[in-house]
Amino acid sequence: MLLLTSAFYTMDIVADIQDLYKDNKWREIVARYHDHPERNKVLWVYPSEGNFSFVENCLAELGCDRIVSIGCGSGLLEWMITQATGVPVSGIEVDGAWWSCKYAPPNFIPLHITPTEMDKETISIVQRNKNAALLFCYFNNRKAFDDYLKYYDGNVLIIIGPHEKAVHTDPKPFDDVTDIWTLYKFQEIRNSGDFIVVYKKQNV
Ligand SMILES: C[S@@+](CC[C@H](N)C(=O)[O-])C[C@H]1O[C@@H](n2cnc3c(N)ncnc32)[C@H](O)[C@@H]1O
């Protein structure tokens, strides 16, 4: 048992996830890694099938046909959402040392890379995607969050993050948005203490 456990932990999680990704085995990625100690190397949350259905249903109910994910990191979550629900997801990441360094995880979707101060192209992506929900998963940059929302003309905001856990995100998933956003529905990711929280614009 001891041998098996240490073999499991020394397995290269990034390489294994890449192999499963190439074989389109998103369920296996979630099953194998949702509670793996090194999971954050690639992604902060590993939603269940029920969680993906929850997102799909909320989007359908609120008339969204796509998602734009801000600070998507590797894009693994975004790729899995599309695999699980059929909803197209595009990703925006900030230009920085981490994502271009050799230790960075691979990308699972094409990324739009933005400068720290949003350029015209990034603003245009956010503005023209009115039918998209804007997603922030484990985001940690309040000024950028406010800037993205300033340009977003759509009606649905999804924040995924920790609730009452010793992990800091900004925004937090609950009670951390302005009054124009009304809590629509939320669901915990398994029993992880991480929540998917869907907001809609008031009067929609
Ligand atoms: C904690 S990571 C979460 C990554 C991924 N969403 C996940 O859940 O694994 C926060 C990400 O937000 C990105 N980020 C920070 N400021 C940003 C900005 N202005 N525009 C886009 N992404 C940004 C960071 O580069 C980082 O990848």
Side-chain angles (χ1 to χ4, degrees):
M1 179 60 191
L2 188 63
L3 277 176
L4 268 179
T5 307
S6 47
F8 181 67
Y9 286 164
T10 53
M11 183 190 291
D12 183 346
I13 174 172
V14 179
D16 192 44
I17 287 181
Q18 270 185 293
D19 286 344
L20 293 167
Y21 161 80
K22 283 178 198 146
D23 292 337
N24 278 327
K25 292 186 173 167
W26 65 268
R27 286 185 183 82
E28 188 61 29
I29 293 175
V30 172
R32 216 177 268 185
Y33 290 110
H34 72 270
D35 58 357
H36 190 284
E38 293 180 32
R39 62 191 176 281
N40 298 351
K41 275 186 175 177
V42 187
L43 172 63
W44 280 83
V45 296
Y46 290 73
S48 65
E49 284 195 45
N51 295 140
F52 286 122
S53 298
F54 167 76
V55 171
E56 184 179 6
N57 292 338
C58 287
L59 294 177
E61 289 157 15
L62 294 168
C64 287
D65 59 9
R66 54 183 52 247
I67 295 173
V68 176
S69 175
I70 312 295
C72 61
S74 71
L76 178 61
L77 173 67
E78 291 68 16
W79 175 76
M80 292 198 294
I81 291 173
T82 302
Q83 294 300 306
T85 68
V87 174
V89 189
S90 52
I92 298 180
E93 248 306 325
V94 75
D95 194 9
W98 168 239
W99 288 107
S100 50
C101 94
K102 65 177 179 176
Y103 302 108
N107 297 133
F108 297 94
I109 59 168
L111 302 181
H112 171 76
I113 301 291
T114 180
T116 314
E117 286 299 324
M118 289 166 83
D119 59 1
K120 275 188 187 159
E121 209 187 330
T122 309
I123 291 171
S124 156
I125 291 172
V126 173
Q127 279 180 328
R128 70 172 179 257
N129 275 291
K130 290 193 174 98
N131 279 343
L134 216 57
L135 166 66
F136 295 84
C137 178
Y138 264 80
F139 201 65
N140 207 350
N141 183 341
R142 168 59 62 155
K143 181 187 175 304
F145 175 73
D146 291 341
D147 284 347
Y148 281 105
L149 286 186
K150 192 167 71 191
Y151 290 111
Y152 173 58
D153 251 349
N155 296 319
V156 181
L157 167 66
I158 305 176
I159 301 178
I160 301 178
H163 179 58
E164 296 180 344
K165 275 172 83 168
V167 188
H168 175 78
T169 59
D170 195 354
K172 299 188 291 298
F174 291 104
D175 305 321
D176 209 10
V177 289
T178 60
D179 287 348
I180 67 159
W181 295 102
T182 306
L183 180 64
Y184 180 63
K185 286 183 182 173
F186 65 88
Q187 190 176 74
E188 186 173 12
I189 297 181
R190 284 196 197 74
N191 56 353
S192 62
D194 293 317
F195 283 78
I196 303 168
V197 186
V198 180
Y199 294 88
K200 64 173 188 161
K201 221 169 241 172
Q202 254 183 22
N203 306 323
V204 171

